[in-house]
Amino acid sequence: MYRIRRFAVRHSRQFEWIYNRLESALVALAPVLSRIGYNRIERPVALIEKGIKGLLFDCQMCGQCVLSSTGMSCPMNCPKQLRNGPCGGVRPGGFCEVKPGMRCVWVEGWNGAARMRGGDRIREVLPPVDRRLAGSSAWLRASREKAAALHEARERERSTLANAFPTARRIEPSTAPLADEPARAIGRGKTG
Amino acid sequence: MSQFDQDPNAIRRYAPPPEGHVSGSKLELALRAGHFAVTAEMNPPDSADPQDVFKAAQPLADVADAINATDASGANCHMSSIGICALLTRAGHGTVYQISCRDRNRIAIQGDVLGAAAMGVRNVLCLTGDDVGAGDQPGAKPVFDFDSLTLIRTIRTMRDQGVFLSGRKITSPPNLFIGAAENPCVDPLEWRPDRLAKKVAAGAEFIQTNYIFDMPRFQAFMSRVRDLGLERKVFILAGVGPLASAKAARWMRGNVPGIHIPDQVIARLEKAENPGEEGRRICVELIQQLREVAGVAGVHIMAYRREHLVADIVREAGIAREQRPA
Ligand code: SF4
């Protein structure tokens, strides 16, 4: 609904906070979720996501949510579906070129972003929409990607030694640590 | 002999760009040499006759570093931009191939970019495009698969990385000078410079703005642009054009998306004995003022149906090629 959508943009900072909590929870739950199987939970989660975000943001379930980078104003509601707006046709007072009765989604977006902690993300050039993802859960996709990235980063911290003895690392973890030992543990931190 | 009887072996790819250039187009050469450049928009014919293209381009040819071929601007159907560019480049004119995201998806656009470059096009202008409802076929399906920024980034990727967006290799990448539009005098005024910054980040190398009739607004825009240091990263060509009358100005303001004309300008046309002449004079004055604005690298003249005035305007404003310092 238009009125609720505008409310959400006015409170972009609060919604940013809420979403970040939700995402952290999903990232933390990633091992559990992947054991249950992301495929099995995809449908029910997508349904819930659609209900909540549909109400709040007039979400169209593009499946690749960018609300955190667009001031909590859903760009799929822009009649031109711009991912990097606004266009040059914005009417005086910030109304949409195509639907003169509607506030430009992107004017709202830039204003919303200015209220957010991570509002600068709106300055990043976003890629075009992948139409194959329509209807799927962006919450699961985003959290899964983040969890994978975290995992990868941790893997990279593994010492060369750990990589050279992968099996030993699994059965006797202390023989091939994941990361550098704290200085105190190896007798270098005593003076500090 | 018709143009189709040429020996195909004689049709070659244009020379690679000189050192420090990305395309070697006349426009790029002029801008990088520090000249105050001139581009002009051509009125595309509703015709399949190449002579109509040359006729329409003729009044602009002597004064413009590049002629913009619009891509169904205002969502009105005309001869395609790529067709016009192909003809004009072959005749030795510099062209700007305008691409709007309204009518074609990413598959068509990337293919056309290669096709255009093969036919000699060296400048492109990436546009979002006006809504279909503004034009003569409002029932058409709007595409908007890309927006202007994703389009800019895509062409940059094709040119610099030599691949399509899919990652597939392009054996001979297009050497294009990549442009974008900006509309400094319409809302959201406070965010326009930031959006320009985004276009530069996406890969734009020159900017052609929409009409500037409101100098204070443009000055404010440019001062923020300079704060962001953008004028050093991108060539900005300010959009101008002669208004025909107060009535025409009002019509444009009310019906063409994204046009801001202050009341004072319209009042000046209203009071004038000869509104057409007054419109021309306003245009010359604006060019002279724009030229003084730090960070403005040239002008883009959009003289819809008044193309015959362009050469005079350019000379009177003192920015014709022959008036450039050697
Ligand atoms: S005015 Fe705003 S909402 Fe309307 S088409 Fe342009 S960018 Fe989209």
Side-chain angles (χ1 to χ4, degrees):
Chain A
M1 234 174 78
Y2 184 57
R3 294 240 320 264
I4 302 182
R5 186 213 294 181
R6 292 203 56 196
F7 169 86
V9 175
R10 274 200 306 277
H11 297 83
S12 52
R13 195 180 172 94
Q14 285 84 339
F15 282 104
E16 177 188 33
W17 186 86
I18 294 171
Y19 176 72
N20 286 342
R21 295 289 89 69
L22 171 72
E23 193 185 80
S24 311
L26 287 171
V27 170
L29 281 172
V32 182
L33 298 181
S34 75
R35 213 161 312 136
I36 304 173
Y38 277 101
N39 268 334
R40 292 223 337 250
I41 57 171
E42 168 68 38
R43 286 280 294 278
V45 173
L47 259 174
I48 298 169
E49 184 175 335
K50 188 175 179 180
I52 296 176
K53 280 172 35 181
L55 178 74
L56 287 173
F57 308 107
D58 283 341
C59 161
Q60 319 274 318
M61 289 301 280
C62 68
Q64 46 214 294
C65 193
V66 288
L67 283 170
S68 301
S69 299
T70 61
M72 294 288 153
S73 175
C74 171
M76 298 306 275
N77 290 311
C78 159
K80 299 182 186 175
Q81 297 197 344
L82 305 185
R83 283 263 143 166
N84 300 281
C87 71
V90 181
R91 292 171 191 263
F95 290 89
C96 172
E97 171 198 327
V98 186
K99 295 185 183 166
M102 178 181 86
R103 305 252 333 145
C104 165
V105 167
W106 277 99
V107 171
E108 296 280 279
W110 279 87
N111 292 338
R115 288 186 279 270
M116 288 164 63
R117 278 167 160 275
D120 266 355
R121 283 168 67 168
I122 201 169
R123 296 174 196 282
E124 207 50 57
V125 183
L126 293 174
V129 179
D130 184 336
R131 302 282 159 179
R132 289 171 301 183
L133 305 182
S136 62
S137 166
W139 284 349
L140 287 182
R141 177 163 297 106
S143 59
R144 208 171 53 218
E145 289 278 334
K146 280 247 166 96
L150 266 176
H151 180 72
E152 202 191 297
R154 250 182 250 136
E155 284 294 298
R156 235 181 287 125
E157 276 177 22
R158 266 176 189 270
S159 61
T160 312
L161 185 79
N163 283 328
F165 299 88
T167 326
R169 163 75 200 132
R170 214 177 319 123
I171 54 175
E172 286 291 0
S174 57
T175 62
L178 268 177
D180 284 345
E181 288 287 319
R184 299 260 309 265
I186 50 177
R188 265 194 279 125
K190 284 194 189 102
T191 50
Chain B
M1 194 175 88
S2 95
Q3 61 198 309
F4 301 111
D5 299 330
Q6 283 172 17
D7 171 12
N9 289 317
I11 304 176
R12 288 298 168 87
R13 193 195 159 101
Y14 54 79
E19 197 48 44
H21 293 67
V22 294
S23 75
S25 71
K26 285 182 211 165
L27 177 61
E28 189 190 6
L29 291 171
L31 286 169
R32 293 207 197 275
H35 295 307
F36 195 78
V38 178
T39 55
E41 186 173 290
M42 192 194 108
N43 186 11
D46 294 335
S47 143
D49 185 345
Q51 284 309 317
D52 289 335
V53 172
F54 296 125
K55 233 178 278 159
Q58 198 269 325
L60 314 171
D62 283 345
V63 289
D65 294 296
I67 297 172
N68 278 59
T70 55
D71 184 10
S73 79
N76 288 302
C77 201
H78 305 288
M79 185 194 283
S80 71
S81 178
I82 199 167
I84 293 171
C85 286
L87 288 166
L88 292 183
T89 24
R90 279 306 155 84
H93 300 297
T95 54
V96 178
Y97 168 41
Q98 297 197 181
I99 307 177
S100 138
C101 296
R102 181 195 51 233
D103 307 321
R104 278 163 302 152
N105 70 7
R106 64 190 83 179
I107 302 173
I109 290 179
Q110 290 173 79
D112 277 347
V113 164
L114 289 189
M119 288 190 285
V121 171
R122 300 192 199 212
N123 310 301
V124 282
L125 184 71
C126 303
L127 303 165
T128 299
D130 303 317
D131 171 48
V132 292
D136 65 342
Q137 320 212 15
K141 180 178 185 195
V143 178
F144 298 113
D145 187 23
F146 276 155
D147 58 30
S148 55
L149 283 104
T150 50
L151 174 58
I152 295 166
R153 184 60 70 76
T154 300
I155 300 179
R156 265 308 269 261
T157 306
M158 292 172 72
R159 186 190 77 192
D160 297 347
Q161 257 96 65
V163 289
F164 291 107
L165 215 48
S166 64
R168 202 148 44 76
K169 203 172 159 9
I170 297 168
T171 52
S172 189
N175 296 129
L176 293 165
F177 191 36
I178 302 170
E182 193 42 77
N183 204 352
C185 300
V186 304
D187 274 321
L189 297 173
E190 71 275 36
W191 298 121
R192 288 286 165 199
D194 298 274
R195 182 134 193 278
L196 178 65
K198 238 175 126 168
K199 290 192 170 180
V200 174
E205 291 155 325
F206 73 93
I207 298 292
Q208 293 177 316
T209 80
N210 210 316
Y211 289 106
I212 310 292
F213 287 111
D214 191 331
M215 279 307 287
R217 272 195 191 182
F218 184 66
Q219 294 278 17
F221 170 85
M222 283 306 294
S223 101
R224 177 98 175 92
V225 163
R226 290 190 300 267
D227 288 345
L228 295 169
L230 296 174
E231 87 287 4
R232 278 176 273 123
K233 298 183 187 152
V234 73
F235 296 105
I236 298 171
L237 288 87
V240 292
L243 293 164
S245 64
K247 194 169 153 238
R250 267 201 207 95
W251 185 88
M252 272 168 70
R253 191 165 71 171
N255 294 285
V256 186
I259 293 191
H260 164 72
I261 306 174
D263 292 335
Q264 305 92 284
V265 173
I266 296 185
R268 209 176 133 181
L269 290 167
E270 209 133 56
K271 272 186 246 125
E273 237 164 71
N274 181 347
E277 169 54 25
E278 189 69 6
R280 198 188 68 90
R281 204 171 305 137
I282 293 174
C283 185
V284 171
E285 286 170 19
L286 280 170
I287 295 177
Q288 286 166 339
Q289 291 170 33
L290 287 164
R291 206 182 167 183
E292 301 305 317
V293 179
V296 174
V299 285
H300 175 52
I301 308 178
M302 295 162 282
Y304 180 64
R305 295 224 171 118
R306 304 183 73 68
E307 287 85 357
H308 56 282
L309 300 177
V310 171
D312 271 357
I313 290 174
V314 167
R315 293 204 177 96
E316 200 176 320
I319 55 168
R321 226 168 300 163
E322 62 272 13
Q323 291 163 309
R324 280 176 190 166

